[in-house]
Amino acid sequence: MQEITIVGGGIIGCSTAYFLTRHPSYSPDTHHITLLEASSTNSGGRTQDSIQDPATLANPTTASKRNPAHDGIAGGASGKAGGLLALWAFPKSIVPLSFRLHDELAREHGGDKRWGYRRCWASQVDCKARLPAGLDASGPAQPPSTDGGQAGASKGLHKDHKKATAALRKLGVPDDFDWVDATESLGAYDNIGTPDDTAQVHPELFTRSMAQLAEDAGVRIVTGARVTTINRSPDESHVESVTYEKDGQKTTHPTTHCVVAAGPWTRRLLPEIPVSASRAHSVVIKAPRPLSAYALFTAIKLPTGFRTPVSKTAQHGATKGVPLRGQQVVEPEIYARPDGTAYACGPTDDVAPLPLTTAEVEVDEARCADIIAQVGGISDELGSDGEVVARQACYLPQGGPYIGQVGSTKGLIVAAGHTCWGIQNAPGTGKLVSELIFDGKTTSARLGSCDPANVL
Ligand SMILES: Cc1cc2nc3c(=O)[nH]c(=O)nc-3n(C[C@H](O)[C@H](O)[C@H](O)COP(=O)(O)OP(=O)(O)OC[C@H]3O[C@@H](n4cnc5c(N)ncnc54)[C@H](O)[C@@H]3O)c2cc1C
Protein backbone atom coordinates (compact mmCIF):
# COMPACT_ATOMS: atom_id res chain seq x y z
CA MET A 1 0.00 0.00 0.00
CA GLN A 2 1.34 3.45 -0.92
CA GLU A 3 0.21 6.46 1.11
CA ILE A 4 0.66 9.60 -0.98
CA THR A 5 0.12 12.91 0.82
CA ILE A 6 -0.12 16.20 -1.07
CA VAL A 7 0.41 19.36 1.00
CA GLY A 8 -1.49 22.32 -0.49
CA GLY A 9 -4.77 22.74 -2.36
CA GLY A 10 -3.63 25.33 -4.89
CA ILE A 11 -3.44 24.65 -8.62
CA ILE A 12 -0.19 22.67 -8.27
CA GLY A 13 -1.48 20.37 -5.51
CA CYS A 14 -4.85 19.82 -7.22
CA SER A 15 -3.31 19.19 -10.67
CA THR A 16 -0.91 16.73 -9.05
CA ALA A 17 -3.82 14.92 -7.38
CA TYR A 18 -5.62 14.75 -10.73
CA PHE A 19 -2.65 13.40 -12.71
CA LEU A 20 -1.80 10.82 -10.04
CA THR A 21 -5.28 9.35 -10.55
CA ARG A 22 -4.77 9.32 -14.36
CA HIS A 23 -1.45 7.44 -14.24
CA PRO A 24 -1.76 3.90 -15.71
CA SER A 25 -0.29 2.39 -12.50
CA TYR A 26 -2.79 4.11 -10.18
CA SER A 27 -5.31 1.96 -8.38
CA PRO A 28 -7.48 3.25 -5.54
CA ASP A 29 -7.06 -0.19 -3.91
CA THR A 30 -3.30 0.06 -3.61
CA HIS A 31 -2.71 3.83 -3.58
CA HIS A 32 -4.25 6.09 -0.97
CA ILE A 33 -3.95 9.74 -1.95
CA THR A 34 -4.73 12.47 0.59
CA LEU A 35 -4.66 16.20 -0.19
CA LEU A 36 -4.30 18.43 2.89
CA GLU A 37 -5.23 22.11 2.51
CA ALA A 38 -4.59 24.52 5.39
CA SER A 39 -7.61 26.80 4.82
CA SER A 40 -11.30 25.98 4.84
CA THR A 41 -12.48 29.29 3.39
CA ASN A 42 -11.94 31.28 0.20
CA SER A 43 -12.86 34.60 1.79
CA GLY A 44 -9.27 35.46 2.82
CA GLY A 45 -7.64 37.99 0.51
CA ARG A 46 -10.98 39.22 -0.84
CA THR A 47 -13.14 42.15 0.27
CA GLN A 48 -16.51 41.15 1.71
CA ASP A 49 -18.44 42.65 -1.21
CA SER A 50 -16.48 40.58 -3.76
CA ILE A 51 -18.25 37.88 -5.73
CA GLN A 52 -17.96 34.57 -3.89
CA ASP A 53 -18.68 32.12 -6.70
CA PRO A 54 -17.17 33.04 -10.09
CA ALA A 55 -19.07 30.15 -11.69
CA THR A 56 -22.17 32.37 -11.61
CA LEU A 57 -20.56 35.25 -13.52
CA ALA A 58 -21.25 34.01 -17.04
CA ASN A 59 -24.90 33.56 -16.10
CA PRO A 60 -26.02 35.09 -12.79
CA THR A 61 -28.98 32.72 -12.60
CA THR A 62 -26.67 29.69 -12.63
CA ALA A 63 -27.04 27.85 -9.37
CA SER A 64 -23.72 27.85 -7.52
CA LYS A 65 -21.41 25.18 -8.87
CA ARG A 66 -19.13 25.56 -5.88
CA ASN A 67 -18.65 22.46 -3.77
CA PRO A 68 -18.72 23.95 -0.24
CA ALA A 69 -16.78 20.93 1.07
CA HIS A 70 -13.88 22.20 -1.05
CA ASP A 71 -13.84 25.75 0.33
CA GLY A 72 -10.20 26.54 0.99
CA ILE A 73 -9.15 25.00 -2.35
CA ALA A 74 -7.70 27.77 -4.58
CA GLY A 75 -7.87 30.26 -1.70
CA GLY A 76 -4.45 31.73 -2.58
CA ALA A 77 -2.84 32.83 -5.86
CA SER A 78 -4.44 29.91 -7.68
CA GLY A 79 -7.84 31.55 -7.21
CA LYS A 80 -6.71 35.13 -7.80
CA ALA A 81 -4.33 34.89 -10.76
CA GLY A 82 -5.04 36.10 -14.29
CA GLY A 83 -5.02 32.69 -15.94
CA LEU A 84 -2.96 33.42 -19.05
CA LEU A 85 -1.41 30.36 -20.75
CA ALA A 86 1.31 30.68 -23.37
CA LEU A 87 3.77 28.62 -25.38
CA TRP A 88 6.11 31.60 -25.01
CA ALA A 89 6.10 31.34 -21.18
CA PHE A 90 8.97 29.89 -19.13
CA PRO A 91 10.70 27.59 -18.15
CA LYS A 92 11.08 26.11 -21.62
CA SER A 93 11.56 22.54 -20.36
CA ILE A 94 7.95 22.17 -19.18
CA VAL A 95 5.95 24.86 -21.02
CA PRO A 96 5.13 22.89 -24.24
CA LEU A 97 3.95 19.85 -22.24
CA SER A 98 1.79 21.94 -19.94
CA PHE A 99 0.28 24.09 -22.71
CA ARG A 100 -0.71 20.91 -24.59
CA LEU A 101 -2.16 19.31 -21.44
CA HIS A 102 -4.32 22.39 -20.82
CA ASP A 103 -5.76 21.95 -24.30
CA GLU A 104 -6.37 18.21 -23.78
CA LEU A 105 -7.97 18.74 -20.37
CA ALA A 106 -10.32 21.36 -21.81
CA ARG A 107 -11.38 19.00 -24.61
CA GLU A 108 -11.87 16.03 -22.27
CA HIS A 109 -13.80 17.83 -19.54
CA GLY A 110 -15.56 20.67 -21.38
CA GLY A 111 -13.13 23.24 -20.01
CA ASP A 112 -14.55 25.99 -22.24
CA LYS A 113 -17.76 25.97 -20.21
CA ARG A 114 -16.45 24.59 -16.94
CA TRP A 115 -13.39 26.80 -16.40
CA GLY A 116 -13.47 29.42 -19.18
CA TYR A 117 -10.77 27.91 -21.40
CA ARG A 118 -10.34 29.76 -24.67
CA ARG A 119 -7.62 30.72 -27.11
CA CYS A 120 -6.81 34.44 -27.08
CA TRP A 121 -4.46 37.18 -28.25
CA ALA A 122 -1.78 38.78 -26.10
CA SER A 123 -0.64 42.32 -26.81
CA GLN A 124 1.59 45.06 -25.45
CA VAL A 125 -0.14 48.45 -25.42
CA ASP A 126 1.25 51.86 -24.57
CA CYS A 127 -1.49 54.17 -23.34
CA LYS A 128 -2.10 57.52 -21.74
CA ALA A 129 -4.68 57.57 -18.95
CA ARG A 130 -7.42 60.17 -19.21
CA LEU A 131 -8.02 62.30 -16.17
CA PRO A 132 -11.39 61.56 -14.60
CA ALA A 133 -14.01 64.21 -15.33
CA GLY A 134 -13.69 67.05 -12.81
CA LEU A 135 -9.89 66.85 -12.51
CA ASP A 136 -7.37 68.84 -14.51
CA ALA A 137 -3.60 68.69 -14.76
CA SER A 138 -3.18 71.00 -11.78
CA GLY A 139 -4.83 68.35 -9.62
CA PRO A 140 -7.58 69.92 -7.51
CA ALA A 141 -11.15 69.02 -8.32
CA GLN A 142 -13.03 71.49 -10.53
CA PRO A 143 -16.48 72.81 -9.66
CA PRO A 144 -19.18 70.50 -11.00
CA SER A 145 -20.07 71.38 -14.59
CA THR A 146 -23.62 72.12 -15.63
CA ASP A 147 -23.69 69.27 -18.15
CA GLY A 148 -22.94 66.65 -15.52
CA GLY A 149 -19.30 66.44 -16.53
CA GLN A 150 -19.99 65.08 -20.01
CA ALA A 151 -18.23 67.84 -21.93
CA GLY A 152 -14.88 67.16 -20.27
CA ALA A 153 -15.21 63.38 -20.15
CA SER A 154 -13.50 61.39 -22.87
CA LYS A 155 -15.53 59.12 -25.09
CA GLY A 156 -15.14 55.38 -25.24
CA LEU A 157 -14.44 53.75 -28.55
CA HIS A 158 -17.90 52.26 -28.94
CA LYS A 159 -19.47 55.67 -28.53
CA ASP A 160 -17.70 57.24 -31.53
CA HIS A 161 -17.28 54.25 -33.75
CA LYS A 162 -16.11 55.68 -37.09
CA LYS A 163 -13.44 57.94 -35.68
CA ALA A 164 -12.14 55.25 -33.38
CA THR A 165 -11.91 52.59 -36.09
CA ALA A 166 -9.74 54.90 -38.19
CA ALA A 167 -7.49 55.56 -35.20
CA LEU A 168 -7.16 51.83 -34.55
CA ARG A 169 -6.22 51.02 -38.15
CA LYS A 170 -3.51 53.68 -38.09
CA LEU A 171 -1.89 51.94 -35.11
CA GLY A 172 -2.15 48.48 -36.71
CA VAL A 173 -4.70 47.35 -34.15
CA PRO A 174 -7.04 44.45 -35.06
CA ASP A 175 -10.61 45.60 -35.77
CA ASP A 176 -12.13 43.65 -32.91
CA PHE A 177 -9.84 45.15 -30.28
CA ASP A 178 -12.38 47.78 -29.37
CA TRP A 179 -12.49 48.15 -25.60
CA VAL A 180 -9.56 50.50 -25.05
CA ASP A 181 -10.11 54.15 -25.96
CA ALA A 182 -8.29 54.48 -29.29
CA THR A 183 -9.00 58.18 -29.77
CA GLU A 184 -7.45 59.50 -26.58
CA SER A 185 -5.57 56.72 -24.80
CA LEU A 186 -3.99 54.16 -27.11
CA GLY A 187 -0.52 55.21 -28.30
CA ALA A 188 1.11 52.00 -29.53
CA TYR A 189 0.06 48.40 -30.10
CA ASP A 190 2.27 45.31 -30.51
CA ASN A 191 1.29 41.70 -30.86
CA ILE A 192 2.93 39.27 -28.40
CA GLY A 193 0.86 36.11 -28.77
CA THR A 194 -1.78 34.73 -31.12
CA PRO A 195 -4.51 32.11 -30.57
CA ASP A 196 -2.03 29.52 -31.91
CA ASP A 197 0.25 29.95 -28.92
CA THR A 198 -1.84 31.75 -26.28
CA ALA A 199 -4.89 30.75 -24.23
CA GLN A 200 -6.55 31.42 -20.89
CA VAL A 201 -8.48 29.75 -18.08
CA HIS A 202 -10.35 30.99 -15.03
CA PRO A 203 -7.80 29.79 -12.44
CA GLU A 204 -10.17 29.31 -9.50
CA LEU A 205 -12.66 27.31 -11.59
CA PHE A 206 -9.86 25.25 -13.14
CA THR A 207 -8.30 24.45 -9.76
CA ARG A 208 -11.61 23.51 -8.14
CA SER A 209 -12.43 21.33 -11.15
CA MET A 210 -9.11 19.48 -10.83
CA ALA A 211 -9.87 18.91 -7.14
CA GLN A 212 -13.36 17.59 -7.91
CA LEU A 213 -12.15 15.28 -10.70
CA ALA A 214 -9.39 13.94 -8.44
CA GLU A 215 -11.84 13.35 -5.61
CA ASP A 216 -14.24 11.57 -7.97
CA ALA A 217 -11.34 9.20 -8.80
CA GLY A 218 -10.57 8.39 -5.16
CA VAL A 219 -8.48 11.23 -3.69
CA ARG A 220 -9.39 12.22 -0.12
CA ILE A 221 -9.47 16.02 0.27
CA VAL A 222 -9.18 17.48 3.76
CA THR A 223 -9.52 21.26 4.14
CA GLY A 224 -8.68 23.23 7.28
CA ALA A 225 -5.73 20.86 7.78
CA ARG A 226 -2.43 22.72 8.15
CA VAL A 227 0.66 20.54 7.93
CA THR A 228 3.13 21.48 10.66
CA THR A 229 5.89 18.90 10.11
CA ILE A 230 7.08 16.44 7.53
CA ASN A 231 8.59 13.58 9.51
CA ARG A 232 11.62 11.90 7.91
CA SER A 233 13.34 8.71 9.10
CA PRO A 234 16.21 9.33 11.59
CA ASP A 235 18.81 8.94 8.80
CA GLU A 236 16.64 11.15 6.54
CA SER A 237 16.62 8.41 3.89
CA HIS A 238 12.83 8.42 3.49
CA VAL A 239 9.56 10.07 4.54
CA GLU A 240 7.62 8.43 7.37
CA SER A 241 4.60 10.67 8.02
CA VAL A 242 3.22 14.20 8.08
CA THR A 243 1.71 15.91 11.11
CA TYR A 244 -1.17 18.32 10.62
CA GLU A 245 -3.48 20.45 12.76
CA LYS A 246 -7.22 20.51 12.16
CA ASP A 247 -9.81 21.99 14.52
CA GLY A 248 -7.18 22.24 17.28
CA GLN A 249 -6.30 18.52 17.01
CA LYS A 250 -2.92 17.18 15.88
CA THR A 251 -2.89 14.14 13.61
CA THR A 252 0.12 12.21 12.33
CA HIS A 253 -0.62 10.64 8.98
CA PRO A 254 1.63 7.75 7.76
CA THR A 255 3.11 8.68 4.39
CA THR A 256 5.30 6.92 1.84
CA HIS A 257 5.33 9.86 -0.61
CA CYS A 258 4.86 13.51 0.35
CA VAL A 259 4.40 16.16 -2.34
CA VAL A 260 4.94 19.65 -0.94
CA ALA A 261 2.86 21.99 -3.12
CA ALA A 262 2.48 24.77 -0.57
CA GLY A 263 3.26 27.60 -3.02
CA PRO A 264 4.72 30.63 -1.20
CA TRP A 265 4.46 28.77 2.14
CA THR A 266 6.80 25.97 0.98
CA ARG A 267 9.86 27.28 2.82
CA ARG A 268 8.06 26.95 6.16
CA LEU A 269 8.06 23.16 5.63
CA LEU A 270 11.20 22.83 3.52
CA PRO A 271 13.63 25.61 4.52
CA GLU A 272 16.18 24.31 2.01
CA ILE A 273 13.94 25.18 -0.98
CA PRO A 274 14.39 28.90 -1.80
CA VAL A 275 10.81 29.94 -2.58
CA SER A 276 9.94 33.52 -1.60
CA ALA A 277 6.60 35.36 -1.50
CA SER A 278 5.34 38.80 -2.57
CA ARG A 279 1.83 40.17 -2.18
CA ALA A 280 -0.04 41.33 -5.31
CA HIS A 281 -3.47 42.94 -5.70
CA SER A 282 -6.01 42.43 -8.45
CA VAL A 283 -9.58 43.33 -9.36
CA VAL A 284 -12.32 41.83 -11.53
CA ILE A 285 -14.57 44.23 -13.46
CA LYS A 286 -17.82 43.26 -15.17
CA ALA A 287 -18.13 45.04 -18.52
CA PRO A 288 -21.45 46.21 -20.03
CA ARG A 289 -20.91 44.00 -23.11
CA PRO A 290 -18.74 40.98 -24.06
CA LEU A 291 -15.04 41.86 -24.44
CA SER A 292 -12.98 40.49 -27.33
CA ALA A 293 -10.32 37.97 -26.30
CA TYR A 294 -7.21 40.03 -25.60
CA ALA A 295 -4.72 39.83 -22.73
CA LEU A 296 -2.94 43.15 -22.39
CA PHE A 297 0.48 43.96 -21.02
CA THR A 298 0.22 47.69 -20.57
CA ALA A 299 2.41 50.72 -20.03
CA ILE A 300 0.00 53.47 -18.97
CA LYS A 301 1.26 57.03 -18.58
CA LEU A 302 -0.60 58.73 -15.73
CA PRO A 303 -0.86 62.49 -16.25
CA THR A 304 -0.16 65.15 -13.66
CA GLY A 305 -3.17 65.39 -11.36
CA PHE A 306 -4.04 61.66 -11.60
CA ARG A 307 -4.46 59.63 -8.41
CA THR A 308 -0.94 58.87 -7.04
CA PRO A 309 -0.35 55.09 -6.90
CA VAL A 310 0.55 53.58 -3.52
CA SER A 311 4.27 52.75 -3.65
CA LYS A 312 5.84 49.29 -3.15
CA THR A 313 6.77 50.05 0.46
CA ALA A 314 4.05 52.49 1.58
CA GLN A 315 1.63 51.47 4.32
CA HIS A 316 -2.11 51.15 3.85
CA GLY A 317 -3.74 54.23 2.31
CA ALA A 318 -0.58 56.36 2.62
CA THR A 319 -1.18 58.32 -0.58
CA LYS A 320 -4.96 58.43 -0.46
CA GLY A 321 -6.36 61.24 -2.55
CA VAL A 322 -2.98 62.86 -3.32
CA PRO A 323 -2.80 64.01 -6.96
CA LEU A 324 0.37 63.24 -8.96
CA ARG A 325 2.81 66.16 -9.22
CA GLY A 326 4.48 64.81 -12.38
CA GLN A 327 3.81 61.96 -14.79
CA GLN A 328 4.22 58.30 -13.83
CA VAL A 329 4.08 55.08 -15.85
CA VAL A 330 2.24 52.04 -14.42
CA GLU A 331 1.95 48.56 -15.91
CA PRO A 332 -1.23 46.73 -14.90
CA GLU A 333 -2.00 43.57 -16.86
CA ILE A 334 -5.59 43.31 -18.13
CA TYR A 335 -7.16 40.06 -19.34
CA ALA A 336 -10.63 39.98 -20.92
CA ARG A 337 -12.50 36.83 -19.89
CA PRO A 338 -15.26 34.89 -21.64
CA ASP A 339 -17.62 35.43 -18.67
CA GLY A 340 -17.98 39.13 -19.57
CA THR A 341 -15.44 40.37 -17.05
CA ALA A 342 -11.89 41.65 -17.23
CA TYR A 343 -9.24 40.77 -14.68
CA ALA A 344 -6.56 43.36 -13.89
CA CYS A 345 -3.57 43.07 -11.57
CA GLY A 346 -1.09 45.59 -10.22
CA PRO A 347 2.52 45.37 -8.98
CA THR A 348 3.80 43.37 -6.01
CA ASP A 349 4.47 45.11 -2.69
CA ASP A 350 6.75 44.52 0.30
CA VAL A 351 4.42 45.73 3.03
CA ALA A 352 2.61 42.69 4.46
CA PRO A 353 4.64 39.57 5.30
CA LEU A 354 3.17 36.16 4.41
CA PRO A 355 0.49 35.29 7.02
CA LEU A 356 -0.15 31.83 8.50
CA THR A 357 -2.75 30.77 5.89
CA THR A 358 -4.69 32.17 2.92
CA ALA A 359 -7.56 32.97 5.32
CA GLU A 360 -5.52 35.79 6.92
CA VAL A 361 -4.40 37.52 3.69
CA GLU A 362 -5.24 41.24 3.93
CA VAL A 363 -6.48 43.41 1.08
CA ASP A 364 -5.25 47.01 0.87
CA GLU A 365 -8.24 48.62 -0.82
CA ALA A 366 -6.15 51.65 -1.81
CA ARG A 367 -4.03 49.40 -4.04
CA CYS A 368 -7.18 47.96 -5.65
CA ALA A 369 -8.49 51.51 -6.16
CA ASP A 370 -5.26 52.34 -8.01
CA ILE A 371 -5.79 49.48 -10.47
CA ILE A 372 -9.46 50.43 -10.94
CA ALA A 373 -8.56 54.08 -11.66
CA GLN A 374 -5.76 53.15 -14.05
CA VAL A 375 -7.73 50.70 -16.21
CA GLY A 376 -10.75 53.01 -16.08
CA GLY A 377 -8.43 55.74 -17.37
CA ILE A 378 -7.98 53.90 -20.68
CA SER A 379 -11.34 52.13 -21.09
CA ASP A 380 -14.93 53.20 -20.44
CA GLU A 381 -16.01 49.54 -20.46
CA LEU A 382 -13.76 48.94 -17.46
CA GLY A 383 -14.24 52.40 -15.97
CA SER A 384 -17.40 54.49 -15.94
CA ASP A 385 -19.49 51.72 -17.58
CA GLY A 386 -18.02 48.77 -15.66
CA GLU A 387 -18.90 47.25 -12.30
CA VAL A 388 -16.14 46.11 -9.93
CA VAL A 389 -17.09 42.62 -8.73
CA ALA A 390 -13.92 41.60 -6.86
CA ARG A 391 -11.07 43.30 -4.99
CA GLN A 392 -8.43 40.84 -3.90
CA ALA A 393 -4.84 40.11 -2.84
CA CYS A 394 -2.65 37.01 -2.78
CA TYR A 395 0.98 35.94 -2.55
CA LEU A 396 3.04 35.18 -5.63
CA PRO A 397 5.46 32.26 -5.11
CA GLN A 398 8.85 33.16 -6.54
CA GLY A 399 12.20 31.51 -7.13
CA GLY A 400 11.35 28.31 -9.00
CA PRO A 401 9.61 26.32 -10.19
CA TYR A 402 11.16 23.43 -8.26
CA ILE A 403 9.85 19.99 -9.21
CA GLY A 404 11.52 16.82 -7.95
CA GLN A 405 12.92 14.87 -5.03
CA VAL A 406 14.29 16.92 -2.13
CA GLY A 407 17.91 15.86 -1.57
CA SER A 408 18.37 12.16 -0.82
CA THR A 409 15.09 11.71 1.09
CA LYS A 410 13.12 9.10 -0.87
CA GLY A 411 9.46 9.94 -1.32
CA LEU A 412 9.88 13.64 -0.47
CA ILE A 413 8.98 15.69 -3.54
CA VAL A 414 8.63 19.44 -3.94
CA ALA A 415 6.42 21.09 -6.57
CA ALA A 416 6.48 24.81 -5.79
CA GLY A 417 7.80 28.29 -6.56
CA HIS A 418 6.05 28.60 -9.92
CA THR A 419 6.41 32.41 -10.27
CA CYS A 420 3.99 34.23 -12.59
CA TRP A 421 3.44 31.12 -14.78
CA GLY A 422 2.03 28.64 -12.25
CA ILE A 423 -1.39 28.43 -13.92
CA GLN A 424 0.24 27.75 -17.28
CA ASN A 425 2.64 25.15 -15.82
CA ALA A 426 0.34 23.33 -13.39
CA PRO A 427 -0.83 20.41 -15.57
CA GLY A 428 2.75 19.72 -16.72
CA THR A 429 3.93 19.81 -13.11
CA GLY A 430 1.19 17.42 -12.00
CA LYS A 431 1.98 15.01 -14.82
CA LEU A 432 5.72 15.04 -14.07
CA VAL A 433 5.17 14.47 -10.34
CA SER A 434 2.89 11.51 -11.13
CA GLU A 435 5.71 10.02 -13.24
CA LEU A 436 8.29 10.61 -10.50
CA ILE A 437 6.09 8.76 -8.00
CA PHE A 438 4.94 5.86 -10.19
CA ASP A 439 7.88 5.47 -12.62
CA GLY A 440 10.76 6.84 -10.54
CA LYS A 441 11.66 9.29 -13.34
CA THR A 442 10.02 11.83 -15.64
CA THR A 443 9.22 10.62 -19.14
CA SER A 444 7.03 13.41 -20.60
CA ALA A 445 9.61 16.19 -20.27
CA ARG A 446 13.03 16.90 -18.81
CA LEU A 447 13.09 18.67 -15.45
CA GLY A 448 16.04 20.82 -16.55
CA SER A 449 16.25 24.00 -14.49
CA CYS A 450 13.27 22.85 -12.37
CA ASP A 451 15.24 20.04 -10.68
CA PRO A 452 15.74 21.03 -7.01
CA ALA A 453 19.14 19.32 -7.17
CA ASN A 454 20.29 22.54 -8.88
CA VAL A 455 19.93 24.47 -5.61
CA LEU A 456 20.57 21.79 -2.97
C1 LIG B 1 -1.49 38.68 -9.45
C2 LIG B 1 -1.08 37.37 -10.03
C3 LIG B 1 -1.41 37.05 -11.35
C4 LIG B 1 -1.00 35.83 -11.90
N1 LIG B 1 -1.33 35.52 -13.19
C5 LIG B 1 -0.93 34.36 -13.74
C6 LIG B 1 -1.26 34.03 -15.08
O1 LIG B 1 -1.93 34.80 -15.78
N2 LIG B 1 -0.80 32.85 -15.60
C7 LIG B 1 -0.05 31.99 -14.87
O2 LIG B 1 0.36 30.96 -15.40
N3 LIG B 1 0.25 32.26 -13.57
C8 LIG B 1 -0.16 33.42 -12.99
N4 LIG B 1 0.17 33.72 -11.70
C9 LIG B 1 0.98 32.76 -10.92
C10 LIG B 1 0.13 31.68 -10.28
O3 LIG B 1 -0.98 32.26 -9.65
C11 LIG B 1 0.94 30.90 -9.24
O4 LIG B 1 2.19 30.51 -9.76
C12 LIG B 1 0.18 29.64 -8.83
O5 LIG B 1 -1.13 29.96 -8.44
C13 LIG B 1 0.89 28.93 -7.69
O6 LIG B 1 0.12 27.83 -7.31
P1 LIG B 1 0.48 26.98 -6.02
O7 LIG B 1 -0.49 25.88 -5.96
O8 LIG B 1 1.93 26.65 -6.06
O9 LIG B 1 0.34 28.02 -4.82
P2 LIG B 1 -0.95 28.59 -4.05
O10 LIG B 1 -2.04 28.94 -4.98
O11 LIG B 1 -0.44 29.64 -3.14
O12 LIG B 1 -1.45 27.35 -3.22
C14 LIG B 1 -0.71 26.84 -2.14
C15 LIG B 1 -1.71 26.23 -1.19
O13 LIG B 1 -1.00 25.55 -0.18
C16 LIG B 1 -1.68 25.73 1.03
N5 LIG B 1 -0.74 25.53 2.13
C17 LIG B 1 0.33 26.28 2.45
N6 LIG B 1 0.96 25.79 3.52
C18 LIG B 1 0.27 24.68 3.89
C19 LIG B 1 0.43 23.75 4.95
N7 LIG B 1 1.43 23.86 5.83
N8 LIG B 1 -0.47 22.74 5.06
C20 LIG B 1 -1.49 22.62 4.16
N9 LIG B 1 -1.68 23.49 3.15
C21 LIG B 1 -0.81 24.51 3.01
C22 LIG B 1 -2.18 27.16 0.96
O14 LIG B 1 -3.26 27.36 1.85
C23 LIG B 1 -2.58 27.27 -0.50
O15 LIG B 1 -3.94 26.95 -0.70
C24 LIG B 1 -0.24 34.92 -11.12
C25 LIG B 1 0.07 35.24 -9.79
C26 LIG B 1 -0.34 36.44 -9.25
C27 LIG B 1 0.00 36.75 -7.82
Side-chain angles (χ1 to χ4, degrees):
M1 178 64 68
Q2 291 196 336
E3 288 285 351
I4 303 169
T5 305
I6 300 166
V7 183
I11 196 166
I12 302 299
C14 294
S15 299
T16 298
Y18 172 88
F19 278 101
L20 282 168
T21 65
R22 265 51 182 183
H23 192 281
S25 303
Y26 167 72
S27 159
D29 299 331
T30 49
H31 303 101
H32 285 175
I33 305 172
T34 305
L35 186 150
L36 301 171
E37 163 52 45
S39 293
S40 56
T41 171
N42 286 44
S43 59
R46 227 171 231 164
T47 55
Q48 274 185 354
D49 57 353
S50 294
I51 186 148
Q52 296 304 320
D53 185 359
T56 59
L57 270 171
N59 175 4
T61 60
T62 306
S64 173
K65 290 181 187 143
R66 203 176 86 203
N67 177 352
H70 288 180
D71 281 355
I73 297 294
S78 301
K80 299 178 178 82
L84 190 65
L85 319 175
L87 263 178
W88 38 273
F90 54 82
K92 292 291 167 222
S93 54
I94 61 170
V95 162
L97 168 69
S98 209
F99 190 79
R100 174 170 62 76
L101 290 174
H102 263 296
D103 200 62
E104 290 174 9
L105 287 168
R107 281 170 208 267
E108 186 179 345
H109 300 293
D112 54 341
K113 298 214 167 51
R114 194 164 173 179
W115 56 75
Y117 178 85
R118 73 172 172 184
R119 295 294 180 129
C120 63
W121 297 85
S123 321
Q124 168 72 46
V125 293
D126 292 352
C127 300
K128 194 178 74 191
R130 305 159 306 188
L131 276 174
L135 280 184
D136 71 8
S138 62
Q142 301 300 297
S145 62
T146 48
D147 65 358
Q150 291 307 303
S154 52
K155 287 183 177 174
L157 177 61
H158 58 296
K159 296 197 183 94
D160 191 358
H161 200 260
K162 272 192 196 148
K163 192 174 157 201
T165 305
L168 284 170
R169 291 232 169 90
K170 212 167 125 199
L171 291 172
V173 179
D175 281 353
D176 68 340
F177 178 59
D178 59 358
W179 46 269
V180 166
D181 180 357
T183 43
E184 286 186 54
S185 282
L186 196 54
Y189 176 95
D190 271 315
N191 218 36
I192 300 176
T194 71
D196 287 337
D197 58 18
T198 312
Q200 66 184 140
V201 295
H202 191 297
E204 181 173 351
L205 298 179
F206 177 85
T207 304
R208 291 180 79 118
S209 298
M210 288 296 106
Q212 190 61 59
L213 290 163
E215 188 177 66
D216 294 346
V219 173
R220 187 168 72 102
I221 294 179
V222 188
T223 61
R226 188 173 63 85
V227 172
T228 52
T229 339
I230 297 164
N231 306 304
R232 310 183 200 194
S233 60
D235 62 356
E236 304 217 332
S237 64
H238 60 277
V239 181
E240 290 188 335
S241 59
V242 302
T243 303
Y244 65 90
E245 278 180 13
K246 180 171 166 62
D247 302 329
Q249 298 262 319
K250 278 204 169 196
T251 303
T252 294
H253 179 67
T255 296
T256 55
H257 296 82
C258 176
V259 181
V260 182
W265 286 270
T266 295
R267 214 167 185 174
R268 295 201 175 151
L269 293 168
L270 298 174
E272 62 269 55
I273 302 295
V275 173
S276 58
S278 294
R279 188 174 66 163
H281 284 78
S282 56
V283 299
V284 180
I285 300 170
K286 191 160 177 49
R289 63 182 175 92
L291 301 176
S292 48
Y294 287 84
L296 303 183
F297 294 80
T298 72
I300 302 176
K301 195 182 283 174
L302 307 179
T304 304
F306 203 86
R307 174 193 168 86
T308 302
V310 185
S311 78
K312 202 171 168 66
T313 51
Q315 291 298 327
H316 200 76
T319 51
K320 206 174 163 191
V322 178
L324 264 178
R325 287 250 180 89
Q327 294 186 347
Q328 186 175 329
V329 175
V330 291
E331 299 178 338
E333 292 174 21
I334 310 172
Y335 305 162
R337 285 178 168 167
D339 61 10
T341 66
Y343 166 94
C345 61
T348 57
D349 70 74
D350 297 335
V351 178
L354 187 69
L356 191 63
T357 72
T358 59
E360 289 91 35
V361 173
E362 280 187 22
V363 180
D364 179 348
E365 291 199 40
R367 292 179 194 275
C368 293
D370 284 346
I371 305 169
I372 293 163
Q374 290 158 14
V375 302
I378 64 166
S379 163
D380 285 346
E381 282 77 357
L382 307 183
S384 52
D385 300 344
E387 179 199 352
V388 179
V389 294
R391 295 173 176 82
Q392 51 198 21
C394 63
Y395 285 79
L396 175 71
Q398 288 169 303
Y402 298 108
I403 306 166
Q405 183 173 303
V406 180
S408 54
T409 306
K410 285 212 178 76
L412 181 55
I413 290 172
V414 65
H418 282 67
T419 70
C420 58
W421 287 113
I423 308 302
Q424 144 65 36
N425 289 325
T429 301
K431 174 103 175 153
L432 293 174
V433 172
S434 76
E435 292 171 354
L436 283 171
I437 290 180
F438 285 117
D439 306 325
K441 60 180 190 316
T442 62
T443 49
S444 296
R446 280 184 328 103
L447 289 175
S449 62
C450 305
D451 191 337
N454 293 320
V455 292
L456 292 174

